[in-house]
Amino acid sequence: MVRVISSTSYAFPFKPFQLPSGIILRPLIPMILKYKNNAFTTGVLVDSGADYSILRYDVAKFGLKIPVKSLHDEGLTVSGISGEKLNTVRTVIDCTIICGYRTHDISLPVYIILDPEKQPYYSLLLGRDPFFYEFRIDFRMGYTKDKTLGKFVLYSEKHKRYFCGIRFTFNKKEMRYIRDVANLIKKLF
């Protein structure tokens, strides 16, 4: 069961997976991925070991109808835990986190691995940049004797700033906008 903790917090149970070595708990978030007029509902893996978010090629091309070939010059070479280098393309998709009766919308830059044979298991791996800047994530395991139980909680991050002695609270998107405007003003003067 998904539980809303507060207006800016979301709690999800870990999903148990049976492996040959035993049961492992994985942090999966129900999410709607969107690109233009196309949407794809799936469970996405929160991957604290990934620098960036990786979208499966087949989900990008067939599920979201992203014109992967027209994005060809915008990617980078990434490498996973094996160190193998993989070519990617980059785009931005809109995502809706589903938490019980509530939703939370975010825009997410994603990289699509071009080699169809080297795809991640999950539709989307949520890497640290920028997801971990938007949310603080609390992995709660081991609070019971039952190792098949656990949960993780997302807390929407608000960044606090002072201006003329007054404290303002901004979310990450607002901070990016303020930084962009400040950089534009610096260039003009």
Side-chain angles (χ1 to χ4, degrees):
M1 167 184 240
V2 175
R3 191 165 72 97
V4 178
I5 293 179
S6 75
S7 62
T8 57
S9 301
Y10 309 93
F12 300 91
F14 283 104
K15 299 291 184 203
F17 283 85
Q18 181 66 52
L19 298 176
S21 59
I23 293 176
I24 188 162
L25 302 176
R26 292 192 174 152
L28 295 175
I29 298 175
M31 193 176 279
I32 301 169
L33 311 179
K34 295 175 267 185
Y35 184 82
K36 297 192 177 177
N37 293 325
N38 302 298
F40 186 82
T41 303
T42 186
V44 301
L45 181 70
V46 177
D47 188 351
S48 62
D51 295 326
Y52 305 104
S53 296
I54 304 292
L55 181 65
R56 282 183 60 93
Y57 181 87
D58 54 349
V59 171
K61 187 169 182 175
F62 303 113
L64 296 175
K65 309 227 182 319
I66 295 173
V68 176
K69 291 187 181 190
S70 68
L71 303 172
H72 203 0
D73 296 329
E74 300 176 20
L76 60 95
T77 301
V78 299
S79 60
I81 194 167
S82 69
E84 181 179 6
K85 297 195 182 308
L86 303 166
N87 291 324
T88 68
V89 291
R90 180 186 182 275
T91 193
V92 176
I93 62 173
D94 293 318
C95 304
T96 300
I97 297 171
I98 303 166
C99 185
Y101 61 89
R102 292 186 28 228
T103 61
H104 185 94
D105 295 320
I106 59 171
S107 289
L108 186 69
V110 295
Y111 292 89
I112 304 163
I113 297 173
L114 295 174
D115 186 347
E117 302 297 318
K118 308 286 184 183
Q119 298 300 306
Y121 179 78
Y122 293 98
S123 300
L124 176 66
L125 299 178
L126 283 173
R128 291 187 312 275
D129 189 9
F131 192 74
F132 282 47
Y133 291 99
E134 298 287 335
F135 293 97
R136 179 171 42 96
I137 303 167
D138 183 7
F139 295 100
R140 298 180 183 175
M141 300 173 75
Y143 64 90
T144 70
K145 293 185 184 207
D146 185 348
K147 293 193 185 239
T148 63
L149 295 177
K151 66 181 175 181
F152 62 103
V153 182
L154 304 180
Y155 299 94
S156 183
E157 287 287 21
K158 295 284 184 180
H159 297 276
K160 297 173 183 147
R161 301 290 185 256
Y162 289 88
F163 180 72
C164 297
I166 301 169
R167 185 172 126 178
F168 293 88
T169 302
F170 303 103
N171 65 31
K172 191 66 175 175
K173 190 174 186 179
E174 292 165 334
M175 284 305 301
R176 275 189 231 121
Y177 176 76
I178 291 167
R179 194 174 304 116
D180 290 346
V181 170
N183 287 336
L184 181 62
I185 290 170
K186 284 180 187 176
K187 287 179 184 177
L188 293 174
F189 297 100

PDB file of all heavy atoms in Angstrom, residues 17-50:
ATOM      1  N   PHE A  17      11.697  -9.185  -4.704  1.00  0.00           N
ATOM      2  CA  PHE A  17      12.024  -9.994  -5.879  1.00  0.00           C
ATOM      3  C   PHE A  17      12.805 -11.212  -5.412  1.00  0.00           C
ATOM      4  O   PHE A  17      13.739 -11.102  -4.618  1.00  0.00           O
ATOM      5  CB  PHE A  17      12.863  -9.193  -6.883  1.00  0.00           C
ATOM      6  CG  PHE A  17      12.063  -8.221  -7.675  1.00  0.00           C
ATOM      7  CD1 PHE A  17      11.792  -6.956  -7.184  1.00  0.00           C
ATOM      8  CD2 PHE A  17      11.555  -8.574  -8.912  1.00  0.00           C
ATOM      9  CE1 PHE A  17      11.043  -6.053  -7.900  1.00  0.00           C
ATOM     10  CE2 PHE A  17      10.801  -7.676  -9.645  1.00  0.00           C
ATOM     11  CZ  PHE A  17      10.547  -6.413  -9.136  1.00  0.00           C
ATOM     12  N   GLN A  18      12.414 -12.362  -5.923  1.00  0.00           N
ATOM     13  CA  GLN A  18      13.098 -13.599  -5.575  1.00  0.00           C
ATOM     14  C   GLN A  18      14.287 -13.800  -6.513  1.00  0.00           C
ATOM     15  O   GLN A  18      14.138 -13.851  -7.719  1.00  0.00           O
ATOM     16  CB  GLN A  18      12.142 -14.790  -5.687  1.00  0.00           C
ATOM     17  CG  GLN A  18      12.760 -16.116  -5.314  1.00  0.00           C
ATOM     18  CD  GLN A  18      13.125 -16.176  -3.833  1.00  0.00           C
ATOM     19  OE1 GLN A  18      12.296 -15.907  -2.984  1.00  0.00           O
ATOM     20  NE2 GLN A  18      14.352 -16.536  -3.542  1.00  0.00           N
ATOM     21  N   LEU A  19      15.468 -13.869  -5.948  1.00  0.00           N
ATOM     22  CA  LEU A  19      16.684 -14.170  -6.683  1.00  0.00           C
ATOM     23  C   LEU A  19      17.192 -15.519  -6.209  1.00  0.00           C
ATOM     24  O   LEU A  19      16.770 -16.020  -5.161  1.00  0.00           O
ATOM     25  CB  LEU A  19      17.740 -13.085  -6.425  1.00  0.00           C
ATOM     26  CG  LEU A  19      17.385 -11.666  -6.862  1.00  0.00           C
ATOM     27  CD1 LEU A  19      18.488 -10.703  -6.461  1.00  0.00           C
ATOM     28  CD2 LEU A  19      17.147 -11.595  -8.352  1.00  0.00           C
ATOM     29  N   PRO A  20      18.113 -16.153  -6.947  1.00  0.00           N
ATOM     30  CA  PRO A  20      18.662 -17.434  -6.485  1.00  0.00           C
ATOM     31  C   PRO A  20      19.270 -17.348  -5.083  1.00  0.00           C
ATOM     32  O   PRO A  20      19.217 -18.304  -4.321  1.00  0.00           O
ATOM     33  CB  PRO A  20      19.731 -17.758  -7.528  1.00  0.00           C
ATOM     34  CG  PRO A  20      19.301 -17.039  -8.757  1.00  0.00           C
ATOM     35  CD  PRO A  20      18.615 -15.794  -8.269  1.00  0.00           C
ATOM     36  N   SER A  21      19.795 -16.172  -4.732  1.00  0.00           N
ATOM     37  CA  SER A  21      20.421 -16.008  -3.422  1.00  0.00           C
ATOM     38  C   SER A  21      19.426 -15.639  -2.326  1.00  0.00           C
ATOM     39  O   SER A  21      19.792 -15.571  -1.158  1.00  0.00           O
ATOM     40  CB  SER A  21      21.511 -14.940  -3.498  1.00  0.00           C
ATOM     41  OG  SER A  21      20.947 -13.719  -3.925  1.00  0.00           O
ATOM     42  N   GLY A  22      18.184 -15.362  -2.683  1.00  0.00           N
ATOM     43  CA  GLY A  22      17.166 -14.993  -1.697  1.00  0.00           C
ATOM     44  C   GLY A  22      16.333 -13.822  -2.178  1.00  0.00           C
ATOM     45  O   GLY A  22      16.419 -13.395  -3.325  1.00  0.00           O
ATOM     46  N   ILE A  23      15.540 -13.299  -1.283  1.00  0.00           N
ATOM     47  CA  ILE A  23      14.660 -12.187  -1.623  1.00  0.00           C
ATOM     48  C   ILE A  23      15.418 -10.872  -1.470  1.00  0.00           C
ATOM     49  O   ILE A  23      16.133 -10.662  -0.503  1.00  0.00           O
ATOM     50  CB  ILE A  23      13.416 -12.186  -0.709  1.00  0.00           C
ATOM     51  CG1 ILE A  23      12.547 -13.404  -1.009  1.00  0.00           C
ATOM     52  CG2 ILE A  23      12.606 -10.905  -0.892  1.00  0.00           C
ATOM     53  CD1 ILE A  23      11.355 -13.555  -0.102  1.00  0.00           C
ATOM     54  N   ILE A  24      15.229 -10.014  -2.456  1.00  0.00           N
ATOM     55  CA  ILE A  24      15.811  -8.678  -2.405  1.00  0.00           C
ATOM     56  C   ILE A  24      14.671  -7.673  -2.561  1.00  0.00           C
ATOM     57  O   ILE A  24      13.708  -7.925  -3.276  1.00  0.00           O
ATOM     58  CB  ILE A  24      16.892  -8.483  -3.496  1.00  0.00           C
ATOM     59  CG1 ILE A  24      17.598  -7.167  -3.298  1.00  0.00           C
ATOM     60  CG2 ILE A  24      16.312  -8.581  -4.878  1.00  0.00           C
ATOM     61  CD1 ILE A  24      18.923  -7.080  -4.013  1.00  0.00           C
ATOM     62  N   LEU A  25      14.756  -6.550  -1.853  1.00  0.00           N
ATOM     63  CA  LEU A  25      13.735  -5.511  -1.921  1.00  0.00           C
ATOM     64  C   LEU A  25      14.203  -4.408  -2.862  1.00  0.00           C
ATOM     65  O   LEU A  25      15.325  -3.923  -2.750  1.00  0.00           O
ATOM     66  CB  LEU A  25      13.482  -4.931  -0.524  1.00  0.00           C
ATOM     67  CG  LEU A  25      13.050  -5.926   0.535  1.00  0.00           C
ATOM     68  CD1 LEU A  25      12.928  -5.248   1.887  1.00  0.00           C
ATOM     69  CD2 LEU A  25      11.743  -6.584   0.152  1.00  0.00           C
ATOM     70  N   ARG A  26      13.323  -4.007  -3.779  1.00  0.00           N
ATOM     71  CA  ARG A  26      13.677  -2.972  -4.756  1.00  0.00           C
ATOM     72  C   ARG A  26      12.734  -1.780  -4.648  1.00  0.00           C
ATOM     73  O   ARG A  26      11.528  -1.954  -4.522  1.00  0.00           O
ATOM     74  CB  ARG A  26      13.640  -3.547  -6.169  1.00  0.00           C
ATOM     75  CG  ARG A  26      14.740  -4.565  -6.369  1.00  0.00           C
ATOM     76  CD  ARG A  26      14.925  -4.928  -7.791  1.00  0.00           C
ATOM     77  NE  ARG A  26      16.076  -5.800  -7.909  1.00  0.00           N
ATOM     78  CZ  ARG A  26      16.223  -6.698  -8.852  1.00  0.00           C
ATOM     79  NH1 ARG A  26      15.297  -6.831  -9.783  1.00  0.00           N
ATOM     80  NH2 ARG A  26      17.301  -7.444  -8.901  1.00  0.00           N
ATOM     81  N   PRO A  27      13.296  -0.578  -4.731  1.00  0.00           N
ATOM     82  CA  PRO A  27      12.465   0.635  -4.652  1.00  0.00           C
ATOM     83  C   PRO A  27      11.868   0.986  -6.018  1.00  0.00           C
ATOM     84  O   PRO A  27      12.533   1.549  -6.877  1.00  0.00           O
ATOM     85  CB  PRO A  27      13.450   1.705  -4.180  1.00  0.00           C
ATOM     86  CG  PRO A  27      14.781   1.237  -4.687  1.00  0.00           C
ATOM     87  CD  PRO A  27      14.722  -0.264  -4.701  1.00  0.00           C
ATOM     88  N   LEU A  28      10.609   0.622  -6.219  1.00  0.00           N
ATOM     89  CA  LEU A  28       9.906   0.895  -7.471  1.00  0.00           C
ATOM     90  C   LEU A  28       8.808   1.927  -7.224  1.00  0.00           C
ATOM     91  O   LEU A  28       8.061   1.826  -6.250  1.00  0.00           O
ATOM     92  CB  LEU A  28       9.280  -0.367  -8.044  1.00  0.00           C
ATOM     93  CG  LEU A  28      10.245  -1.449  -8.493  1.00  0.00           C
ATOM     94  CD1 LEU A  28       9.483  -2.691  -8.934  1.00  0.00           C
ATOM     95  CD2 LEU A  28      11.119  -0.956  -9.619  1.00  0.00           C
ATOM     96  N   ILE A  29       8.719   2.900  -8.110  1.00  0.00           N
ATOM     97  CA  ILE A  29       7.705   3.949  -8.019  1.00  0.00           C
ATOM     98  C   ILE A  29       6.751   3.800  -9.198  1.00  0.00           C
ATOM     99  O   ILE A  29       7.197   3.746 -10.345  1.00  0.00           O
ATOM    100  CB  ILE A  29       8.348   5.349  -8.080  1.00  0.00           C
ATOM    101  CG1 ILE A  29       9.293   5.564  -6.918  1.00  0.00           C
ATOM    102  CG2 ILE A  29       7.283   6.429  -8.115  1.00  0.00           C
ATOM    103  CD1 ILE A  29      10.043   6.875  -6.989  1.00  0.00           C
ATOM    104  N   PRO A  30       5.442   3.772  -8.939  1.00  0.00           N
ATOM    105  CA  PRO A  30       4.498   3.797 -10.064  1.00  0.00           C
ATOM    106  C   PRO A  30       4.514   5.191 -10.692  1.00  0.00           C
ATOM    107  O   PRO A  30       4.437   6.201  -9.995  1.00  0.00           O
ATOM    108  CB  PRO A  30       3.145   3.491  -9.422  1.00  0.00           C
ATOM    109  CG  PRO A  30       3.323   3.660  -7.964  1.00  0.00           C
ATOM    110  CD  PRO A  30       4.790   3.655  -7.659  1.00  0.00           C
ATOM    111  N   MET A  31       4.654   5.223 -12.014  1.00  0.00           N
ATOM    112  CA  MET A  31       4.830   6.505 -12.679  1.00  0.00           C
ATOM    113  C   MET A  31       4.232   6.469 -14.078  1.00  0.00           C
ATOM    114  O   MET A  31       4.246   5.433 -14.742  1.00  0.00           O
ATOM    115  CB  MET A  31       6.331   6.826 -12.755  1.00  0.00           C
ATOM    116  CG  MET A  31       6.659   8.241 -13.124  1.00  0.00           C
ATOM    117  SD  MET A  31       8.448   8.561 -13.081  1.00  0.00           S
ATOM    118  CE  MET A  31       8.711   8.813 -11.339  1.00  0.00           C
ATOM    119  N   ILE A  32       3.711   7.603 -14.509  1.00  0.00           N
ATOM    120  CA  ILE A  32       3.269   7.778 -15.891  1.00  0.00           C
ATOM    121  C   ILE A  32       4.345   8.591 -16.595  1.00  0.00           C
ATOM    122  O   ILE A  32       4.664   9.711 -16.173  1.00  0.00           O
ATOM    123  CB  ILE A  32       1.919   8.514 -15.970  1.00  0.00           C
ATOM    124  CG1 ILE A  32       0.838   7.751 -15.203  1.00  0.00           C
ATOM    125  CG2 ILE A  32       1.502   8.700 -17.439  1.00  0.00           C
ATOM    126  CD1 ILE A  32      -0.443   8.537 -15.015  1.00  0.00           C
ATOM    127  N   LEU A  33       4.930   8.018 -17.638  1.00  0.00           N
ATOM    128  CA  LEU A  33       5.935   8.710 -18.447  1.00  0.00           C
ATOM    129  C   LEU A  33       5.208   9.338 -19.632  1.00  0.00           C
ATOM    130  O   LEU A  33       4.354   8.703 -20.247  1.00  0.00           O
ATOM    131  CB  LEU A  33       6.991   7.723 -18.949  1.00  0.00           C
ATOM    132  CG  LEU A  33       7.603   6.784 -17.914  1.00  0.00           C
ATOM    133  CD1 LEU A  33       8.598   5.853 -18.579  1.00  0.00           C
ATOM    134  CD2 LEU A  33       8.237   7.565 -16.790  1.00  0.00           C
ATOM    135  N   LYS A  34       5.554  10.598 -19.970  1.00  0.00           N
ATOM    136  CA  LYS A  34       4.851  11.295 -21.044  1.00  0.00           C
ATOM    137  C   LYS A  34       5.844  11.998 -21.957  1.00  0.00           C
ATOM    138  O   LYS A  34       6.825  12.578 -21.485  1.00  0.00           O
ATOM    139  CB  LYS A  34       3.886  12.324 -20.465  1.00  0.00           C
ATOM    140  CG  LYS A  34       2.760  11.707 -19.657  1.00  0.00           C
ATOM    141  CD  LYS A  34       1.898  12.757 -19.005  1.00  0.00           C
ATOM    142  CE  LYS A  34       2.424  12.993 -17.625  1.00  0.00           C
ATOM    143  NZ  LYS A  34       1.693  13.866 -16.784  1.00  0.00           N
ATOM    144  N   TYR A  35       5.556  11.911 -23.247  1.00  0.00           N
ATOM    145  CA  TYR A  35       6.314  12.657 -24.249  1.00  0.00           C
ATOM    146  C   TYR A  35       5.315  13.152 -25.284  1.00  0.00           C
ATOM    147  O   TYR A  35       4.671  12.334 -25.961  1.00  0.00           O
ATOM    148  CB  TYR A  35       7.382  11.785 -24.901  1.00  0.00           C
ATOM    149  CG  TYR A  35       8.260  12.532 -25.878  1.00  0.00           C
ATOM    150  CD1 TYR A  35       9.332  13.288 -25.424  1.00  0.00           C
ATOM    151  CD2 TYR A  35       7.995  12.500 -27.232  1.00  0.00           C
ATOM    152  CE1 TYR A  35      10.136  13.986 -26.308  1.00  0.00           C
ATOM    153  CE2 TYR A  35       8.803  13.197 -28.129  1.00  0.00           C
ATOM    154  CZ  TYR A  35       9.864  13.930 -27.655  1.00  0.00           C
ATOM    155  OH  TYR A  35      10.653  14.631 -28.545  1.00  0.00           O
ATOM    156  N   LYS A  36       5.153  14.449 -25.338  1.00  0.00           N
ATOM    157  CA  LYS A  36       4.143  15.083 -26.205  1.00  0.00           C
ATOM    158  C   LYS A  36       2.776  14.479 -25.885  1.00  0.00           C
ATOM    159  O   LYS A  36       2.335  14.558 -24.755  1.00  0.00           O
ATOM    160  CB  LYS A  36       4.551  14.991 -27.654  1.00  0.00           C
ATOM    161  CG  LYS A  36       5.846  15.763 -27.907  1.00  0.00           C
ATOM    162  CD  LYS A  36       6.173  15.951 -29.340  1.00  0.00           C
ATOM    163  CE  LYS A  36       7.446  16.790 -29.420  1.00  0.00           C
ATOM    164  NZ  LYS A  36       7.904  16.984 -30.746  1.00  0.00           N
ATOM    165  N   ASN A  37       2.093  13.851 -26.841  1.00  0.00           N
ATOM    166  CA  ASN A  37       0.750  13.307 -26.591  1.00  0.00           C
ATOM    167  C   ASN A  37       0.751  11.828 -26.241  1.00  0.00           C
ATOM    168  O   ASN A  37      -0.307  11.201 -26.224  1.00  0.00           O
ATOM    169  CB  ASN A  37      -0.146  13.543 -27.816  1.00  0.00           C
ATOM    170  CG  ASN A  37      -0.419  15.018 -28.042  1.00  0.00           C
ATOM    171  OD1 ASN A  37      -0.536  15.780 -27.072  1.00  0.00           O
ATOM    172  ND2 ASN A  37      -0.505  15.424 -29.285  1.00  0.00           N
ATOM    173  N   ASN A  38       1.907  11.255 -25.986  1.00  0.00           N
ATOM    174  CA  ASN A  38       2.004   9.826 -25.703  1.00  0.00           C
ATOM    175  C   ASN A  38       2.330   9.601 -24.234  1.00  0.00           C
ATOM    176  O   ASN A  38       3.103  10.345 -23.644  1.00  0.00           O
ATOM    177  CB  ASN A  38       3.079   9.190 -26.588  1.00  0.00           C
ATOM    178  CG  ASN A  38       2.779   9.414 -28.055  1.00  0.00           C
ATOM    179  OD1 ASN A  38       1.765   8.967 -28.558  1.00  0.00           O
ATOM    180  ND2 ASN A  38       3.643  10.140 -28.739  1.00  0.00           N
ATOM    181  N   ALA A  39       1.736   8.541 -23.668  1.00  0.00           N
ATOM    182  CA  ALA A  39       1.953   8.240 -22.245  1.00  0.00           C
ATOM    183  C   ALA A  39       2.165   6.737 -22.077  1.00  0.00           C
ATOM    184  O   ALA A  39       1.667   5.929 -22.860  1.00  0.00           O
ATOM    185  CB  ALA A  39       0.770   8.705 -21.411  1.00  0.00           C
ATOM    186  N   PHE A  40       2.924   6.388 -21.041  1.00  0.00           N
ATOM    187  CA  PHE A  40       3.255   4.994 -20.753  1.00  0.00           C
ATOM    188  C   PHE A  40       3.306   4.847 -19.229  1.00  0.00           C
ATOM    189  O   PHE A  40       4.090   5.526 -18.571  1.00  0.00           O
ATOM    190  CB  PHE A  40       4.621   4.659 -21.382  1.00  0.00           C
ATOM    191  CG  PHE A  40       5.020   3.229 -21.275  1.00  0.00           C
ATOM    192  CD1 PHE A  40       4.547   2.289 -22.165  1.00  0.00           C
ATOM    193  CD2 PHE A  40       5.890   2.821 -20.273  1.00  0.00           C
ATOM    194  CE1 PHE A  40       4.930   0.961 -22.074  1.00  0.00           C
ATOM    195  CE2 PHE A  40       6.277   1.498 -20.174  1.00  0.00           C
ATOM    196  CZ  PHE A  40       5.797   0.570 -21.082  1.00  0.00           C
ATOM    197  N   THR A  41       2.458   3.999 -18.667  1.00  0.00           N
ATOM    198  CA  THR A  41       2.427   3.784 -17.219  1.00  0.00           C
ATOM    199  C   THR A  41       3.291   2.584 -16.878  1.00  0.00           C
ATOM    200  O   THR A  41       3.182   1.529 -17.501  1.00  0.00           O
ATOM    201  CB  THR A  41       0.983   3.551 -16.743  1.00  0.00           C
ATOM    202  OG1 THR A  41       0.190   4.678 -17.134  1.00  0.00           O
ATOM    203  CG2 THR A  41       0.924   3.396 -15.236  1.00  0.00           C
ATOM    204  N   THR A  42       4.148   2.745 -15.859  1.00  0.00           N
ATOM    205  CA  THR A  42       5.095   1.684 -15.521  1.00  0.00           C
ATOM    206  C   THR A  42       5.599   1.865 -14.091  1.00  0.00           C
ATOM    207  O   THR A  42       5.337   2.879 -13.454  1.00  0.00           O
ATOM    208  CB  THR A  42       6.281   1.692 -16.518  1.00  0.00           C
ATOM    209  OG1 THR A  42       7.119   0.576 -16.284  1.00  0.00           O
ATOM    210  CG2 THR A  42       7.086   2.974 -16.415  1.00  0.00           C
ATOM    211  N   GLY A  43       6.330   0.889 -13.616  1.00  0.00           N
ATOM    212  CA  GLY A  43       7.059   1.008 -12.365  1.00  0.00           C
ATOM    213  C   GLY A  43       8.504   1.343 -12.694  1.00  0.00           C
ATOM    214  O   GLY A  43       9.102   0.711 -13.561  1.00  0.00           O
ATOM    215  N   VAL A  44       9.065   2.360 -12.047  1.00  0.00           N
ATOM    216  CA  VAL A  44      10.445   2.763 -12.331  1.00  0.00           C
ATOM    217  C   VAL A  44      11.308   2.518 -11.104  1.00  0.00           C
ATOM    218  O   VAL A  44      10.849   2.625  -9.970  1.00  0.00           O
ATOM    219  CB  VAL A  44      10.525   4.230 -12.798  1.00  0.00           C
ATOM    220  CG1 VAL A  44       9.703   4.433 -14.058  1.00  0.00           C
ATOM    221  CG2 VAL A  44      10.063   5.188 -11.733  1.00  0.00           C
ATOM    222  N   LEU A  45      12.559   2.170 -11.345  1.00  0.00           N
ATOM    223  CA  LEU A  45      13.486   1.839 -10.269  1.00  0.00           C
ATOM    224  C   LEU A  45      14.268   3.068  -9.832  1.00  0.00           C
ATOM    225  O   LEU A  45      14.879   3.752 -10.654  1.00  0.00           O
ATOM    226  CB  LEU A  45      14.469   0.761 -10.737  1.00  0.00           C
ATOM    227  CG  LEU A  45      15.497   0.295  -9.706  1.00  0.00           C
ATOM    228  CD1 LEU A  45      14.823  -0.502  -8.606  1.00  0.00           C
ATOM    229  CD2 LEU A  45      16.578  -0.536 -10.373  1.00  0.00           C
ATOM    230  N   VAL A  46      14.240   3.364  -8.536  1.00  0.00           N
ATOM    231  CA  VAL A  46      15.080   4.416  -7.966  1.00  0.00           C
ATOM    232  C   VAL A  46      16.477   3.825  -7.832  1.00  0.00           C
ATOM    233  O   VAL A  46      16.687   2.879  -7.074  1.00  0.00           O
ATOM    234  CB  VAL A  46      14.549   4.882  -6.586  1.00  0.00           C
ATOM    235  CG1 VAL A  46      15.477   5.927  -5.988  1.00  0.00           C
ATOM    236  CG2 VAL A  46      13.130   5.408  -6.708  1.00  0.00           C
ATOM    237  N   ASP A  47      17.420   4.357  -8.610  1.00  0.00           N
ATOM    238  CA  ASP A  47      18.769   3.787  -8.669  1.00  0.00           C
ATOM    239  C   ASP A  47      19.779   4.795  -8.137  1.00  0.00           C
ATOM    240  O   ASP A  47      20.281   5.647  -8.881  1.00  0.00           O
ATOM    241  CB  ASP A  47      19.091   3.395 -10.110  1.00  0.00           C
ATOM    242  CG  ASP A  47      20.384   2.619 -10.238  1.00  0.00           C
ATOM    243  OD1 ASP A  47      21.135   2.526  -9.241  1.00  0.00           O
ATOM    244  OD2 ASP A  47      20.646   2.108 -11.336  1.00  0.00           O
ATOM    245  N   SER A  48      20.088   4.702  -6.856  1.00  0.00           N
ATOM    246  CA  SER A  48      21.011   5.658  -6.238  1.00  0.00           C
ATOM    247  C   SER A  48      22.440   5.493  -6.751  1.00  0.00           C
ATOM    248  O   SER A  48      23.269   6.367  -6.538  1.00  0.00           O
ATOM    249  CB  SER A  48      20.980   5.516  -4.715  1.00  0.00           C
ATOM    250  OG  SER A  48      21.396   4.225  -4.335  1.00  0.00           O
ATOM    251  N   GLY A  49      22.728   4.418  -7.455  1.00  0.00           N
ATOM    252  CA  GLY A  49      24.055   4.220  -8.020  1.00  0.00           C
ATOM    253  C   GLY A  49      24.208   4.773  -9.417  1.00  0.00           C
ATOM    254  O   GLY A  49      25.313   4.823  -9.955  1.00  0.00           O
ATOM    255  N   ALA A  50      23.106   5.227 -10.021  1.00  0.00           N
ATOM    256  CA  ALA A  50      23.155   5.774 -11.381  1.00  0.00           C
ATOM    257  C   ALA A  50      23.313   7.284 -11.330  1.00  0.00           C
ATOM    258  O   ALA A  50      22.622   7.963 -10.578  1.00  0.00           O
ATOM    259  CB  ALA A  50      21.880   5.409 -12.142  1.00  0.00           C
TER     260      ALA A  50
END
